[in-house]
């Protein structure tokens, strides 16, 4: 840990230059950056103006300035609705499961990959693990339906283990849907999520491993004493970013998999808001209010997580 | 070398930037110039097998060749047709951008009054009164439709849009149907105990089935719930004989009822899963009625007996007219709510379960077994029925300054006898020749799209009747305002097929008003009350109504029923009763 801190302190800081000089010197780089900057401004920052909708009875044909201003009415509607506490609970639980089990699995997978000696085997496994990430949510959910339906392969396996033969997706008991959602997300993201860690592990000096091996360190000891500390900054950074996404539980997949009989455990904030706002007519104000609530919560969690990381490990994202 | 590298870098980044800007600027609509050229937003196009651009519609082209209005001027349209499945998004974009088409087929937009007050559409009263004599005459002859076409502002009648009308209630596009072949094979005459006989008289004709089936109610079609249950017992014999262990007799949508009112209305006439008007024109909330409870008791009984689909709650993604279509198509289900394309022998795949299949349509049954006398032997009057009102059409502020007199004259033509024929059926032989459009010959319509029968009906051309696509949609022009012919059209259906359609339409929809002009005319404020409460109640019902079917909540248990009704009261369904009643009073029931 001390080594990492020291390394951080020794980073070279270039002398300050005026923006004119900088632009003249790095003009080409800025030009390359310009499209992405424009893209971000147009599609990430300007749309934030739409937050106004959360406080208006927004009508498309009236626009932002002519729609009726309703203040916090949409938030009151959202927070006082009967099913809001249940949706919030499900969102948080599914988010936490994704943050814990879902976060750890790619790290473990990366460690396991790094231990494979044969490059071809490693690449093959890596490629196979990436594929689910590129499969559309509709296809993934169709597969899950097939596997977990009454006569599905996984249902058959579970039945062989003593569980009741049933359509698992229709089971509203805790924690069935939560686990299905978590493991489905892991299956989809484990390969893709491990890329950063695999890349980081590859940068760890082989000399350290060699020296440790000569000193008699086992594989596991090298993993925990060398590899893990070396990639810890990356893990912390990824975790901090992930915390901000706790409230994003994979709306599309939940929407495709849940049903009224499993609302009790599957209904999350996004699906609930979607039904509330768009089942009869389009209530853009309410859906914007729900979106804003989730964004604010996500940002707050990100800040807390960053602060906590800085406090505990001395490393932070910003 | 360094300069060259720098030049390349600048060029590459500039190209990237320009490409980005070009990509971002690639959206926008065209505008029409002349005062008789109108842009026209259409909700749905036609099958692309016929033509990709609605501007190629041969019948529209024929009508546009003539002159209209006081100056006999020709007009032009530039149709905006959204790609299939994108109409709602396309419409939102159009409304959001403020670049409206001059004419909008108002399938998903706000009602006339809201569109007008929001500055989207124009008040065309002056043009209608001066240029649309056929439209006004039609309204005069059908005063019950006037409320849909005319908006009252400050005590004065205004025309804020145009409404298309249906000559009569259209045939149903779906309905209940059952395995008639199983009734013949496994059933016996309830009066004599003799076996039934029957079969196809012509192997190549899917509608040539004949039999001697008699139901317990005495007729050759099921009329009562007891007839249905008699059928279910026969289906069970079929399942046993065929070794089917995963079959069932009937399925309902995942929430436990057909939201449109069929079947729930069997138990006392109305009582759909939403609000409806009873025969005294009182707005009533169905789910808290004794009739709805009786429906649940019946469904619960069917579920307990194994007649109902045990997995109905899981079929959330199935449309109400295609529930568990896989098992239905496999021939494992005795009765279902389906489409005309499943009638007769059309589902015969030649396998063990569908070989020799015969599917008959049947009417919505009347309850004769469950609940109190108040819920028995009442003709259903709620259901997904046809209406006399078609789509609305807005002339928007984009058309301001254009020649609206000519436009209205053109539209008025389609409310005339000849115009309504052209709009509904396309061109007759003479008109086809006059048009000189090769489209007709290409699709076998040289003799016109229809001919007149001895009974005075219009028989569709054989090519249209045989077409697997929507050839009628391609040659007619029903995206324009006008009158649609219904009862005057002979579609050439076989007797059995026509009989099924007749049975589906036997009971007219009187009470179910969702999607009707009665709701369309609500003020924004009332509409918000209605939307808010109905959304919350719908949410609660979709999650809980099925519990009565499965027995998780007892439909006979007063405590469970009280929980249900109290929750509905909490959501304040009474407020919608009050709000909607105002409009029910404005719009008279369409009783014949």
């Amino acid at each position: 840990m001390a080594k990492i801190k020291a390394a951080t302190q020794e980073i070279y800081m270039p002398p300050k230059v005026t923006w004119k000089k900088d632009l003249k010197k790095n003009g080409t780089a800025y030009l390359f950056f310009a499209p992405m900057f424009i893209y971000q401004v147009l599609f990430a920052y300007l749309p934030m103006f739409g937050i106004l909708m959360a406080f208006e009875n927004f009508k498309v044909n009236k626009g932002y300035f002519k729609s009726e201003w309703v203040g916090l009415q949409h938030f009151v509607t959202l927070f006082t609705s009967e099913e809001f506490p249940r949706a919030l609970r499900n969102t948080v639980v599914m988010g936490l499961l994704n943050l814990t089990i879902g976060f750890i699995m790619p790290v473990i997978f990366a460690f396991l990959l790094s231990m494979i000696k044969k490059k071809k085997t490693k690449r093959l496994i890596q490629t196979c693990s990436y594929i689910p990430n590129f499969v559309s949510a509709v296809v993934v959910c169709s597969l899950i339906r097939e596997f977990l339906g009454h006569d599905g392969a996984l249902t058959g396996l579970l039945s062989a283990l003593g569980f009741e033969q049933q359509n698992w997706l229709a089971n509203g008991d805790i924690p069935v849907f939560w686990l299905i959602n978590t493991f489905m997300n892991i299956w989809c993201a484990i390969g893709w999520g491990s890329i950063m860690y695999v890349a980081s592990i590859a940068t760890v000096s082989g000399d350290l491993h060699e020296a440790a091996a000569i000193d008699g360190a086992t594989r596991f000891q090298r993993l925990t004493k060398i590899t893990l500390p070396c990639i810890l900054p990356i893990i912390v950074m990824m975790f901090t970013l992930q915390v901000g996404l706790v409230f994003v539980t994979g709306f599309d997949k939940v929407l495709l998999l849940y049903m009224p009989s499993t609302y009790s455990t599957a209904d999350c904030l996004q699906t609930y808001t979607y039904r509330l706002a768009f089942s009869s007519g389009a209530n853009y104000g309410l859906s914007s209010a729900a979106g804003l609530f989730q964004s604010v919560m996500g940002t707050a969690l990100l800040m807390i997580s960053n602060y906590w990381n800085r406090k505990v490990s001395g490393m932070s994202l910003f | 070398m360094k300069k060259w590298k720098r030049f390349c870098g600048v060029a590459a980044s500039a190209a990237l930037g320009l490409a980005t800007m070009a990509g971002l600027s690639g959206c926008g609509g065209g505008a029409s110039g002349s005062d008789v050229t109108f842009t026209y937003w259409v909700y749905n196009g036609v099958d692309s097998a016929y033509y990709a651009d609605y501007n190629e519609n041969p019948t529209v082209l024929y009508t546009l060749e003539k002159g209209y209005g006081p100056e006999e001027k020709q007009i032009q349209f530039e149709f905006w047709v959204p790609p299939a499945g994108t109409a709602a998004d396309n419409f939102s974009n159009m409304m959001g951008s403020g670049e409206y088409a001059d004419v909008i087929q108002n399938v998903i937009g706000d009602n006339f009054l809201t569109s007008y007050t929001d500055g989207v559409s124009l008040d065309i009263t002056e043009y209608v009164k001066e240029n649309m004599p056929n439209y006004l005459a039609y309204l005069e002859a059908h005063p019950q439709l006037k409320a849909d076409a005319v908006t009252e502002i400050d005590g004065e009648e205004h025309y804020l849009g145009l409404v298309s009308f249906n000559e009569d209630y259209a045939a149903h596009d779906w309905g209940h149907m059952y395995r008639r072949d199983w009734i013949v094979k496994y059933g016996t005459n309830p009066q004599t105990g003799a076996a039934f006989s029957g079969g196809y008289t012509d192997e190549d004709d899917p509608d040539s089935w004949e039999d001697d089936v008699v139901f317990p109610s005495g007729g050759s079609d099921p009329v009562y719930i007891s007839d249905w249950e008699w059928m279910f017992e026969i289906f069970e014999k079929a399942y046993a004989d065929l070794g089917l262990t995963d079959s069932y007799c009937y399925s309902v949508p995942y929430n436990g009822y057909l939201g449109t009112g069929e079947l729930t209305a069997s138990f006392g006439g109305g009582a759909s899963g939403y609000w409806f008007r009873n025969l005294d024109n009182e707005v009533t909330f169905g789910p808290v009625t004794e009739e709805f409870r009786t429906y649940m008791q019946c469904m619960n009984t069917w579920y307990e007996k194994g007649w109902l689909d045990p997995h109905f709650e899981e079929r959330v993604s199935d449309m109400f007219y295609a529930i568990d279509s896989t098992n239905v198509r496999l021939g494992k289900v005795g009765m279902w709510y389906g489409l005309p394309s499943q009638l007769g022998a059309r589902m015969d795949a030649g396998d063990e379960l569908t070989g020799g299949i015969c599917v008959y349509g049947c009417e919505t049954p009347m309850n004769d077994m469950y609940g109190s006398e108040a819920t028995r032997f009442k003709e259903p009057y709620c259901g997904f029925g046809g209406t006399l009102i078609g789509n609305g059409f807005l002339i928007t502020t984009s058309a301001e300054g254009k020649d609206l007199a000519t436009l209205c004259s053109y539209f008025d033509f389609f409310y005339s006898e000849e115009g309504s024929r052209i709009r509904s059926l396309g061109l007759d032989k003479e008109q086809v020749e006059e048009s000189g459009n090769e489209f007709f010959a290409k699709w076998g319509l040289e003799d016109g799209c229809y001919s007149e029968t001895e009974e005075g009906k219009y028989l569709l051309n054989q090519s249209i009747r045989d077409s697997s696509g929507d050839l009628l949609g391609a040659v007619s022009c029903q995206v324009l305002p006008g009158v649609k012919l219904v009862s005057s059209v002979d579609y050439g259906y076989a007797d059995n097929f026509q009989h099924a359609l007749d049975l589906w339409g036997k009971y007219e929809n009187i009470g179910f008003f969702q999607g009707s002009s009665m709701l369309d005319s609500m003020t924004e404020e009332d509409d918000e009350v209605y939307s808010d409460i109905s959304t919350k109640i719908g949410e609660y019902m979709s999650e809980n109504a099925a519990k009565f079917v499965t027995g998780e909540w007892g439909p006979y248990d007063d405590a469970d029923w009280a929980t249900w009704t109290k929750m509905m009261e909490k959501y304040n369904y009474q407020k919608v009763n009050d709000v909607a009643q105002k409009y029910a009073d404005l719009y008279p029931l369409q009783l014949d």
Side-chain angles (χ1 to χ4, degrees), chain A residues 24 28 31-32 35 42-43 57 59-62 82-83 86 150 167 170 259-260 263 275-276 279-280, chain B residues 6 9 13 20 24 92 95-96 110 118 120 254 311 314 316 524 528 531 535 539 542-543 567 570-571:
Chain A
K24 199 174 179 185
T28 311
L31 268 175
F32 269 106
L42 284 180
F43 295 107
N57 187 8
K59 298 283 173 195
V60 174
N61 49 9
K62 289 184 181 174
E82 292 285 328
E83 285 79 20
R86 183 181 72 182
H150 284 278
N167 177 358
M259 54 186 82
Y263 279 178
R275 292 199 311 277
L276 207 62
S279 59
S280 69
Chain B
R6 189 178 170 82
S13 55
T20 307
L24 292 171
S92 292
M95 300 310 279
D110 289 320
D118 285 353
V120 175
Y254 68 91
H311 307 303
E314 298 162 25
V316 284
E524 202 175 328
E528 272 174 22
S531 295
T535 299
E539 175 82 1
S542 73
E543 198 174 342
M567 203 62 197
K570 191 179 169 190
Y571 284 123

Side-chain angles (χ1 to χ4, degrees), chain A residues 9-20:
Chain A
Q9 284 161 5
E10 284 167 16
I11 289 173
Y12 167 73
M13 296 297 287
K16 280 190 176 178
V17 289
T18 62
W19 68 268
K20 272 186 182 174

Side-chain angles (χ1 to χ4, degrees), chain A residues 96-284:
Chain A
L96 286 175
L97 284 170
N98 283 337
L99 192 62
T100 49
I101 306 174
F103 180 77
I104 291 168
M105 295 307 277
V107 180
I108 295 173
F109 184 67
F111 284 148
L112 292 173
L113 272 178
S114 70
M115 290 182 179
I116 296 173
K117 294 272 171 63
K118 287 187 176 176
K119 275 191 175 176
K120 277 189 179 175
T121 311
K122 189 176 172 179
R123 279 180 191 164
L124 180 71
I125 293 171
Q126 261 185 301
T127 307
C128 290
S129 69
Y130 296 159
I131 291 171
N133 186 65
F134 299 105
V135 178
S136 87
V138 176
V139 177
V140 169
C141 292
S142 298
L143 289 172
I144 296 291
R145 278 215 189 104
E146 288 297 319
F147 290 155
L148 291 170
H150 284 278
D151 307 312
L154 283 175
T155 303
L157 189 67
L158 290 168
S159 301
L161 293 171
F163 291 97
E164 187 190 339
Q165 180 94 14
Q166 59 181 298
N167 177 358
W168 285 96
L169 287 170
N171 188 324
D173 296 340
I174 292 173
V176 177
F177 190 88
W178 296 343
L179 292 177
I180 291 172
N181 182 60
T182 305
F183 286 109
M184 176 179 64
N185 286 335
I186 288 173
W187 179 71
C188 288
I190 192 167
W192 195 251
S194 67
I195 289 178
M196 287 287 278
Y197 308 120
V198 171
S200 301
I201 291 168
T203 63
V204 177
S205 169
D207 295 349
L208 292 173
H209 282 283
E210 205 176 318
I214 292 167
D215 286 346
T218 63
R219 273 186 147 193
F220 185 73
Q221 282 173 323
R222 276 184 276 152
L223 184 77
T224 54
K225 305 291 181 188
I226 299 172
T227 311
L228 185 61
C230 285
I231 68 163
L232 198 58
I234 293 292
I235 294 176
V236 169
M237 181 189 80
M238 296 301 283
F239 184 81
T240 308
L241 288 172
Q242 198 68 29
V243 168
L245 299 175
V246 161
F247 279 81
V248 183
T249 50
F251 161 73
D252 47 356
K253 295 194 189 89
V254 175
L255 189 71
L256 288 164
L257 289 178
Y258 80 160
M259 54 186 82
S261 59
T262 56
Y263 279 178
S264 56
T265 51
D267 196 16
C268 61
L269 277 177
Q270 292 98 326
T271 51
Y272 174 61
T273 312
Y274 172 74
R275 292 199 311 277
L276 207 62
F278 296 107
S279 59
S280 69
N283 191 336
Y284 297 102

Side-chain angles (χ1 to χ4, degrees), chain B residues 253-471:
Chain B
Y254 68 91
N255 52 6
Y257 59 91
L258 280 158
T260 48
E262 285 98 336
L263 212 54
T264 49
S266 298
F267 298 79
S272 71
Y274 295 102
W275 285 268
F276 68 100
R277 287 195 274 188
N278 65 22
L279 296 176
D280 296 322
N281 201 33
E282 292 166 343
V283 173
T284 312
F285 182 55
V288 296
T289 58
E290 188 59 28
E291 289 86 348
F292 194 79
R293 186 179 182 183
T294 309
Y295 163 80
M296 285 299 182
Q297 289 166 353
C298 174
M299 288 303 112
N300 176 248
T301 305
W302 290 3
Y303 187 84
E304 298 288 333
K305 286 187 174 180
W307 289 342
L308 212 59
D309 174 10
H311 307 303
F312 77 92
E313 281 183 282
E314 298 162 25
R315 308 201 189 281
V316 284
S317 51
D318 293 353
M319 296 303 289
F320 68 96
Y321 52 79
I323 302 168
D324 194 16
S325 56
T326 306
N327 276 322
V328 168
R329 291 269 173 201
L330 285 172
K332 290 182 171 182
V333 182
M335 179 170 234
W336 65 95
Y337 196 78
L339 301 166
S341 59
Q342 294 169 318
L343 290 170
R346 290 172 181 79
M347 281 170 47
D348 191 335
D351 54 34
E352 188 193 354
L353 297 179
T354 62
I357 190 173
C358 176
V359 179
Y360 262 37
C362 64
E363 65 204 54
T364 300
M366 262 190 283
N367 173 39
D368 60 337
M369 300 175 66
Y370 293 89
S372 67
E373 287 302 316
T375 65
R376 297 186 191 194
F377 301 104
K378 299 280 165 63
E379 284 198 2
Y381 61 83
C382 270
F384 194 90
T387 161
L388 298 177
I389 303 291
N391 291 320
F393 297 84
L394 299 171
I395 296 176
T396 71
T397 46
S398 301
E400 210 160 8
K402 291 192 178 183
D403 189 350
L404 297 186
T406 303
L407 178 70
C408 285
S409 291
Y410 173 72
F411 285 153
D412 188 58
F413 169 67
F414 297 102
Y415 291 92
S416 68
E417 206 178 315
E418 186 194 355
S420 58
R421 263 201 317 273
I422 288 180
R423 179 182 183 270
S424 311
L425 311 168
L427 306 183
D428 63 21
K429 191 178 179 184
E430 269 180 38
Q431 290 162 337
V432 165
E433 285 167 2
E434 190 188 337
S435 78
N437 195 316
E438 288 175 6
F439 178 93
F440 295 101
K442 184 182 174 187
W443 295 99
L445 300 169
E446 301 94 330
D447 294 333
C449 303
Y450 63 92
S451 56
E452 208 165 338
T453 65
E454 287 175 2
E455 296 86 38
K457 286 197 167 191
Y458 302 109
L459 177 66
L460 290 176
N461 184 302
Q462 192 68 40
S463 300
I464 294 178
R465 283 186 273 152
D466 293 344
S467 86
S468 53
D470 186 14
L471 182 54

